[in-house]
Amino acid sequence: MRHEASLLHELPLLAAERSPQSAALQDDESTVRYEELAGEIERFAGALAALRVGRGERVAIYLDKRRETVSASFGAPAHGAVFVPINPLLKADQVAYILRDCGVRVLVTSSERLSALAQVLADCPNLAHVLVVGSSAAPALAGNRFAVHRWSEALDAAPGGAHRVIDTDTVGILYTSGSTGNPKGVVLSHRNMVAGAKSVASYIENRESDVLLAALPLSFDAGFSQLTTAFHAGASVVLLNYLLPKDVVRAVAKHRVTGITAVPPLWIQLTQVSWPAGVSAHLRYFANTGGRMPFETLSKLRALWPQARPYLMYGLTEAFRATYLPPEEVERRPDSIGKAIPNSEVLVLRSDGSLCDVGEPGELVQRGALVAQGYWNDTEKTTERFRPLPGREQGLVLPEIAVFSGDTVRRDEEGYLYFIGRHDEMIKSSGYRISPNEVEEVLYTTGLIGECAAFGVPHQAVGEVVAVVVTAPTGKVLDVQQLQALCRDKLPAYMVPAQIELRDGPLPRNANGKIDRKSIAAEHRRAAEGVAT
């Protein structure tokens, strides 16, 4: 028996060897034992071999949370392929961009989702196979260049051999919105993900008796880590596709959940609903990620579950997790993001690479086994964010690469860190990172506007919401309601502008002749403050 995982798929496989009959996955309808999950992972790896999927080729998974999502996510690495989880909230054009960008060869999805993608898959030249899960018949797609297979039939195919894999090989590509246009694919190795699972599980003290709630999308690093940390410990994961906060409450009570990780907007909602008294008997911890939790919300949660340990965390998709605040420090410094997680180092640096003094703002830079391999197919952005640490081991021919977060922080006398702000113009709403350019590009595709600028404005419940300033095309009248309706049709809910302001053009430019988004956002805020006062 192997005792320690070094590859991603070994996390559930080793748990199955240790305790085959223990629950690995749960939902309202069924429980999947580790033995069953391991078998399905190995059968999916065999299906990819039968389809002659090459080592390192990409396997995209466009599903909600279900057992097949998990089996494919770990089965692709077991074969030696690279899994690409796609947020199920994304629209067809956004899914197609990801499929094209990383040259996906195999897509795992449902019949309903495949129908929604029918018009865009023709523009995905590398796609060779689609595996359709569920009982519905696969839709008939005219003129497609790829083969469509039923999930159950593909997993019954005679398997071939898996590829040789080591821990520095690429295991996954997680797409996260960038500051310029389309989302960036963060390339992660087996070592990145396994080291992250072990680190987080160690400080949260995950154990076999834990039942973790998977409320976040599995396409998020924090969402997927509910699987990896649980499997490392041999714990169980409740897969929840919730619509309302009360669905979360019901799942926590029904499955006797011991650990919840969520983003601030969900925590805010969960403090506004009634909780059964019995939850306090089994909830061991709650963890926050994706932005600072409001102090009022934190206080309500601690009063609601006085026995549960709160973990306040900060992290990047580019390095999984960076810091956490130990529960015993929450009372003293609830506004801190804590210190570096185990097996990682976090530095606060000036622009010249030197260390900042206590209290001096600087850029958060992370080094260690969790630092990703870079951005897929984007040398410029990779070079910008992944760089050698100045002054470290200068004699090395291959210097160590750290990730420069773009976030400004400060540290206190005891080494605890405090978040100040971002260098770039990313919008962070409900735990999502939203690119202004991505929103603007969709607005332009409507054909209804002349110019536009998107930016974030503060919002008490979700952190920020998207606001846009637009102009009408020359000589035409702009119907703002029609534009809003098209945004709802073309964008996921979290990216739909909450505010659309119509102005006379042209919009202000900066010295380079580009639309000056920063000055427009500042003017918008001043105007809003003037109305408020």
Side-chain angles (χ1 to χ4, degrees):
M1 178 187 291
R2 297 162 293 175
H3 296 286
E4 189 73 14
S6 59
L7 304 175
L8 179 65
H9 53 280
E10 291 176 347
L11 292 171
L13 299 184
L14 285 174
E17 290 182 9
R18 294 191 304 266
S19 187
Q21 294 305 307
S22 294
L25 305 173
Q26 304 178 48
D27 58 25
D28 282 346
E29 298 179 357
S30 63
T31 296
V32 180
R33 308 295 175 185
Y34 268 106
E35 184 177 56
E36 299 173 81
L37 178 61
E40 197 161 297
I41 288 170
E42 291 171 341
R43 288 169 62 207
F44 182 76
L48 295 183
L51 295 175
R52 301 184 182 278
V53 174
R55 179 182 180 208
E57 290 192 307
R58 275 70 63 199
V59 177
I61 304 155
Y62 182 49
L63 290 167
D64 58 4
K65 300 188 197 83
R66 53 193 299 166
R67 65 185 292 171
E68 294 92 346
T69 308
V70 180
S71 300
S73 297
F74 290 84
H79 172 64
V82 174
F83 82 103
V84 183
I86 299 178
N87 192 325
L89 295 179
L90 295 187
K91 304 289 186 175
D93 287 340
Q94 295 164 313
V95 174
Y97 170 79
I98 293 174
L99 300 181
R100 289 193 302 269
D101 185 60
C102 65
V104 164
R105 180 168 173 80
V106 178
L107 170 64
V108 181
T109 191
S110 65
S111 177
E112 296 78 12
R113 291 180 181 276
L114 181 57
S115 295
L117 297 176
Q119 301 302 314
V120 300
L121 292 184
D123 295 326
C124 303
N126 297 98
L127 186 62
H129 302 280
V130 176
L131 274 63
V132 180
V133 307
S135 57
S136 301
L141 301 178
N144 57 285
R145 297 189 297 268
F146 51 83
V148 179
H149 314 267
R150 282 188 174 274
W151 170 271
S152 57
E153 294 173 358
L155 266 62
D156 287 337
H163 300 285
R164 174 70 174 171
V165 178
I166 62 173
D167 69 350
T168 55
D169 286 340
T170 298
V171 68
I173 304 175
L174 272 59
Y175 275 81
T176 180
S177 289
S179 58
T180 54
N182 289 311
K184 306 187 298 292
V186 178
V187 181
L188 300 167
S189 69
H190 285 267
R191 179 182 294 176
N192 294 150
M193 301 202 79
V194 173
K198 293 177 180 178
S199 180
V200 174
S202 71
Y203 68 76
I204 291 185
E205 301 177 358
N206 286 124
R207 57 199 71 166
E208 286 187 7
S209 58
D210 271 333
V211 179
L212 308 188
L213 182 69
L216 300 175
L218 299 182
S219 55
F220 275 16
D221 58 326
F224 196 79
S225 75
Q226 303 314 298
L227 298 176
T228 58
T229 54
F231 294 165
H232 171 64
S236 179
V237 180
V238 178
L239 301 177
L240 178 65
N241 300 292
Y242 71 91
L243 295 175
L244 300 170
K246 66 180 181 180
D247 298 329
V248 177
V249 175
R250 182 180 55 80
V252 170
K254 176 179 179 178
H255 297 282
R256 297 187 62 80
V257 166
T258 63
I260 313 173
T261 299
V263 293
L266 179 55
W267 286 127
I268 292 170
Q269 292 177 318
L270 292 178
T271 61
Q272 299 170 353
V273 295
S274 298
W275 284 82
V279 170
S280 296
H282 53 79
L283 187 63
R284 189 173 67 79
Y285 72 86
F286 60 94
N288 178 66
T289 188
R292 182 178 177 274
M293 183 189 291
F295 179 74
E296 180 182 3
T297 302
L298 176 60
S299 299
K300 289 180 179 179
L301 291 172
R302 296 182 69 196
L304 186 63
W305 308 311
Q307 84 297 338
R309 292 167 63 81
Y311 289 88
L312 306 182
M313 303 188 294
Y314 161 92
L316 310 163
T317 305
E318 291 85 352
F320 190 64
R321 283 290 168 276
T323 68
Y324 82 101
L325 184 68
E328 56 271 17
E329 292 290 334
V330 170
E331 189 71 33
R332 295 178 59 201
R333 50 185 108 242
D335 55 340
S336 172
I337 60 173
K339 295 182 179 181
I341 67 172
N343 196 24
S344 186
E345 183 178 11
V346 172
L347 307 168
V348 185
L349 302 184
R350 303 185 182 100
S351 58
D352 63 1
S354 59
L355 288 170
C356 289
D357 294 328
V358 169
E360 178 186 0
E363 184 172 10
L364 185 147
V365 177
Q366 185 174 352
R367 61 181 293 263
L370 281 70
V371 174
Q373 297 179 315
Y375 298 119
W376 181 267
N377 199 29
D378 195 333
T379 302
E380 181 180 353
K381 283 297 177 184
T382 297
T383 303
E384 176 185 320
R385 296 290 292 276
F386 296 87
R387 308 198 300 272
L389 281 171
R392 292 290 182 108
E393 305 293 344
Q394 295 184 14
L396 290 176
V397 177
L398 296 176
E400 176 191 8
I401 299 298
V403 61
F404 288 68
S405 69
D407 289 345
T408 302
V409 300
R410 63 176 177 84
R411 62 182 174 89
D412 64 19
E413 295 84 354
E414 298 179 59
Y416 287 93
L417 301 173
Y418 299 81
F419 183 84
I420 295 175
R422 292 198 58 81
H423 287 178
D424 58 26
E425 300 173 340
M426 292 295 296
I427 305 165
K428 200 158 192 177
S429 180
S430 298
Y432 292 94
R433 294 173 64 198
I434 303 169
S435 163
N437 296 75
E438 194 173 2
V439 176
E440 290 165 2
E441 287 174 7
V442 171
L443 291 172
Y444 282 120
T445 63
T446 66
L448 298 179
I449 67 168
E451 296 178 345
C452 68
F455 46 90
V457 296
H459 189 279
Q460 185 174 5
V462 298
E464 287 184 306
V465 293
V466 177
V468 295
V469 170
V470 299
T471 68
T474 302
K476 295 184 179 180
V477 176
L478 173 58
D479 185 336
V480 173
Q481 291 185 343
Q482 183 185 7
L483 180 62
Q484 186 80 59
L486 284 174
C487 287
R488 287 193 293 267
D489 183 58
K490 292 176 174 290
L491 289 167
Y494 63 85
M495 293 178 67
V496 174
Q499 303 175 19
I500 298 180
E501 177 186 347
L502 178 61
R503 291 191 188 179
D504 294 331
L507 295 179
R509 263 63 171 168
N510 61 21
N512 296 324
K514 297 179 181 179
I515 292 176
D516 193 344
R517 186 188 294 123
K518 289 185 178 180
S519 71
I520 294 170
E523 183 180 346
H524 180 90
R525 284 192 293 269
R526 286 193 298 270
E529 291 168 357
V531 171
T533 57

